[in-house]
């Protein structure tokens, strides 16, 4: 409940934000290069190097779904990226 109140106090009805979380796989051994390439993409808020099924978790904050799609396309075009999976956050009211 505190999170909902926080969001409500920081965003008016006219302010919208789309949060996307993209899990990224890269070519083996290219983690540093991939991180540097991802870091250059505007709209990416955070990049986490993780262990397990994915190599990175990328947090994206943009104004609309079209912008999210464009950023995910840019991530996919990065030379060292082999696969992505994106989930989109939604505000609960």
């Amino acid at each position: 409940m505190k999170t909902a109140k926080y969001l409500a106090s920081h965003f008016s009805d006219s302010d919208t934000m789309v949060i996307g979380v993209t899990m990224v796989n890269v070519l083996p051994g290219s983690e540093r290069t991939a991180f540097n390439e991802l870091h250059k993409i505007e709209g990416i808020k955070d990049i986490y190097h993780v262990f397990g099924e994915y190599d990175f978790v990328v947090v994206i904050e943009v104004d609309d779904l079209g912008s999210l799609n464009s950023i995910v396309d840019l991530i996919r075009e990065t030379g060292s990226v082999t696969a992505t999976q994106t989930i989109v956050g939604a505000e609960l009211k």
Side-chain angles (χ1 to χ4, degrees):
M1 185 57 91
K2 289 182 181 180
T3 302
K5 288 180 183 178
Y6 172 83
L7 289 173
S9 68
H10 285 79
F11 298 100
S12 68
D13 289 336
S14 64
D15 292 329
T16 59
M17 181 179 293
V18 175
I19 305 292
V21 178
T22 300
M23 284 69 70
V24 179
N25 286 4
V26 300
L27 295 169
S30 68
E31 291 83 4
R32 185 170 306 279
T33 299
F35 177 84
N36 291 333
E37 291 173 342
L38 293 170
H39 189 69
K40 295 176 185 176
I41 299 174
E42 188 174 335
I44 292 179
K45 180 180 178 190
D46 294 308
I47 305 168
Y48 299 97
H49 182 226
V50 296
F51 299 98
E53 185 175 347
Y54 300 101
D55 298 307
F56 292 97
V57 173
V58 178
V59 179
I60 303 164
E61 286 188 7
V62 291
D63 293 328
D64 54 56
L65 286 173
S67 297
L68 176 61
N69 188 58
S70 295
I71 291 174
V72 172
D73 285 346
L74 288 173
I75 291 170
R76 290 178 179 153
E77 292 170 4
T78 301
S80 55
V81 172
T82 60
T84 64
Q85 182 171 354
T86 301
I87 55 175
V88 179
E91 181 180 353
L92 294 175
K93 291 187 178 191

